[in-house]
Amino acid sequence: MKKTICLLTILGLVAATGACSKSGAAAQPEERTETPGPPKPWAPTTEIFTRQGSPYSFKLINKSQHLTEARKKAMIDHFFKVYPIMVEFLNPNALKQLVVTLDPDMDGIAHAINGEIFINAAWFMEKPEHIDVITHEGTHIVQDYKKSALFLQEGIPDFLRHKTGLPNVESTWNIGPYSQSHSLASGYTPASRFLVWLDDRIEKGIVLDADKACRAGTYTPKFWWTRTGRSVDELWDLYAANPALDGPVIALPVYTPVPGGAIADGVYSIISAFSQLAVDVPSAKVDDDVKLIQWNFERNANQFWQFIHVGEGWYRIHTGHSGKVAEAPAQPGSGIAQATRKNLDSQLWKPVKNADNTWQLVNKLTGLCWEISGSQGGAALLQQAWAGKQNQKWQLVAE
């Protein structure tokens, strides 16, 4: 009988497991131990985020393994809050997709170029308010400037924040007070506060019109001269004397030039009669003591010069991009540079017309004149005693 039960078991129940033991008990499954392989190395990721009903998207190229999901979500949420406001305020034709690369190996903090933002990953992870870098660098993407000056390039982002009340992590942020240490060359907050003042106290809409000119590639320092009858440097002087943002619109009197000048006050390009190249501030730098050179004339702001007559034939020659002025060094043969305006004789120049309708430019302190050191782009602008040489002659082309 037992053999029958075992046979039935073999033919029935145990058939499903495949065997009976000699004693009639079912075999236990064999235990196996798997050795885990090495962990997969972390690799950069690329993700694109969208929101239902929004025409915008956020492409994140993450090269940092330390980015948390919470930090990533905060960045994406911030983008979808601020970017549509920026586009509507400045440039409805701006890119619909913002591309951001988090890079742990980059130098500096952040920059925008060719429609893409690059952010130092370690800096970005330090503090919650650093998410606002999306606002600043994103504004540069929206600006999409072809020709500009630094104070507009870097001043517009905080001008936009102030005017639109953009959501920001720093809930106490404001445009800040004026300081005597500020200048056009300071960029960023000093420049943005000046732009707010221009819009509130001089002419509503003037800053956005300048922004449009930069995007169209038509901006030159003459923009301010045409709209207000003042150079941007003179507007800064008015601002420094009365920097309050609240108050009535300031009615500017008709501009009256100081009489006795050899040329009309205004914006000029300065072209060498020797090389036919233009006087240029290299790389549009804004620091003091940047030596002037000659370069192909490309109608950039750092190739335009505002001549302001101050009396007895002497002029300040302002750079078009930084608000600084041309200054002579003390020694012959040394390079002429840009410098912060201090109303020194070394910063005053007299245009003297030559018989061939070119000009020499003579410094009040040294009595020496401009001379270009060679015929190639990048040649230095020096000062030397007037000798009537071709490389000491200049064409002043009014804008």
Side-chain angles (χ1 to χ4, degrees), residues 191-221:
S192 64
R193 195 183 191 282
F194 172 59
L195 295 177
V196 171
W197 179 86
L198 285 172
D199 193 68
D200 290 350
R201 303 294 307 276
I202 298 298
E203 182 186 337
K204 186 65 66 177
I206 191 171
V207 175
L208 290 182
D209 286 346
D211 165 81
K212 291 182 178 70
C214 291
R215 194 157 36 257
T218 59
Y219 175 82
T220 77

Side-chain angles (χ1 to χ4, degrees), residues 78 129 132-133 135-136 139 154-177 188-193 196 245:
H78 189 71
E129 59 264 28
D132 281 336
V133 72
T135 302
H136 183 91
T139 303
E154 298 298 347
I156 288 286
D158 278 353
F159 169 84
L160 185 154
R161 289 178 75 180
H162 177 83
K163 287 290 184 178
T164 63
L166 277 181
N168 62 83
V169 176
E170 297 173 281
S171 59
T172 59
W173 180 88
N174 60 64
I175 201 69
Y188 301 98
T189 297
S192 64
R193 195 183 191 282
V196 171
L245 300 181

